Amino acid sequence: MAAAIIRTGEGSPSKLRDLSAEMLANAINRGGHVILMLEPCMVSCAGAFCMDQDGLTTVHDACAVLCIAARREAWGSCLELRLVVECLGIRLFQLCCSLNGPEVKRTYGEELLVAKMFELVWRLRQHRHCSAFDKLCELDGHKCILTAAISYLYDARATDHRDLRHYRDGPICDLRPSALDCCLRMMEGMVLFDIKRNDAIGRSRVSRVADASRGLCASQALSGSERLSCEVLLVTTKGVMGH
């Protein structure tokens, strides 16, 4: 029923759609993984994540369900759809990058959404049954995930808001890392992707990651797990850059 309400789009009140998305995310998070076998839920959550008219709460909860699906290596055919991949790139770029003027200002809800989207990209890196991560690595321009990630590394809010967590996520741990840690882990995968590209564009991307991760490693703002992820990322870039 929750999936049906989400799918009706503008035909349902926004509060009802928000509540339905939250119920679905909570049910799956608490072990209702059989829900991942239901195609209507897959279509509903992917659609809700991509629909502009939905509120941040619905988009975040839909993204949370997609994270669980990616972690369980389910819904591969849906997660690798061009619409889902490009929407993920556009949303992250818009919330992390400022092309002109001051840094992007994010609300509390937007901070939670950015954290969940970086987790989704990291989970997709580990998904063995879909090509979504490779497609994310290929995005450029105003959809570029790597540009969004680098901007996030330079943003002090990435460490200042480390403890900003959705109630479903619980405390930070290795299985549920901070947003910054997820960002660093997915960037390592993107560097490895660029190694395979072995072209000028790939080398330029790796150079940008190296500069950002070197500065972050030199700071005192990282937690233990984040520091390890940052050092691994930096070592990976050194292998490519010949440092």
Side-chain angles (χ1 to χ4, degrees):
M1 182 178 292
I5 292 173
I6 297 170
R7 288 184 69 183
T8 54
E10 296 178 350
S12 297
S14 60
K15 288 185 178 180
L16 184 57
R17 284 170 57 75
D18 287 349
L19 179 60
S20 298
E22 183 179 18
M23 289 173 58
L24 195 57
N26 286 346
I28 297 176
N29 188 62
R30 290 171 181 168
H33 297 134
V34 66
I35 298 173
L36 295 176
M37 300 173 62
L38 304 177
E39 185 174 343
C41 292
M42 176 182 72
V43 174
S44 299
C45 290
F49 177 70
C50 297
M51 291 171 68
D52 289 335
Q53 69 264 31
D54 276 327
L56 277 176
T57 301
T58 297
V59 174
H60 176 276
D61 288 336
C63 187
V65 175
L66 297 182
C67 278
I68 296 172
R71 189 178 74 209
R72 305 276 301 181
E73 296 187 296
W75 294 4
S77 60
C78 178
L79 292 168
E80 66 186 9
L81 288 174
R82 178 179 176 181
L83 178 63
V84 176
V85 169
E86 291 192 351
C87 183
L88 181 52
I90 291 171
R91 287 192 186 279
L92 268 174
F93 189 91
Q94 290 177 340
L95 288 173
C96 294
C97 302
S98 176
L99 297 180
N100 297 295
E103 66 182 16
V104 177
K105 293 183 178 180
R106 293 189 291 267
T107 64
Y108 172 82
E110 289 170 340
E111 288 288 355
L112 291 178
L113 179 57
V114 166
K116 190 54 62 177
M117 289 192 292
F118 276 131
E119 180 187 347
L120 177 56
V121 181
W122 170 54
R123 300 288 186 191
L124 289 171
R125 178 192 172 188
Q126 300 172 309
H127 199 315
R128 295 171 295 178
H129 307 301
C130 82
S131 59
F133 186 76
D134 285 356
K135 292 180 179 180
L136 287 167
C137 291
E138 293 170 349
L139 295 177
D140 56 13
H142 68 285
K143 306 171 188 173
C144 182
I145 294 279
L146 188 65
T147 299
I150 291 172
S151 295
Y152 193 71
L153 260 59
Y154 283 119
D155 192 338
R157 290 171 294 181
T159 53
D160 292 345
H161 294 169
R162 177 183 295 115
D163 296 326
L164 188 65
R165 305 276 285 178
H166 191 274
Y167 70 86
R168 273 193 304 267
D169 293 331
I172 294 173
C173 63
D174 189 56
L175 293 178
R176 298 204 174 190
S178 68
L180 179 58
D181 204 350
C182 288
C183 180
L184 291 165
R185 295 182 189 194
M186 57 141 254
M187 289 176 77
E188 182 202 356
M190 291 191 163
V191 168
L192 293 173
F193 179 87
D194 285 325
I195 293 174
K196 294 179 182 179
R197 288 178 60 151
N198 193 29
D199 58 14
I201 293 176
R203 288 189 289 273
S204 174
R205 283 161 54 96
V206 172
S207 177
R208 291 166 58 206
V209 173
D211 289 342
S213 58
R214 190 179 301 111
L216 190 60
C217 271
S219 74
Q220 301 298 317
L222 299 177
S223 69
S225 178
E226 291 167 351
R227 181 163 297 281
L228 177 60
S229 296
C230 192
E231 289 175 353
V232 169
L233 175 60
L234 185 56
V235 167
T236 305
T237 63
K238 285 181 178 179
V240 181
M241 302 303 294
H243 291 173

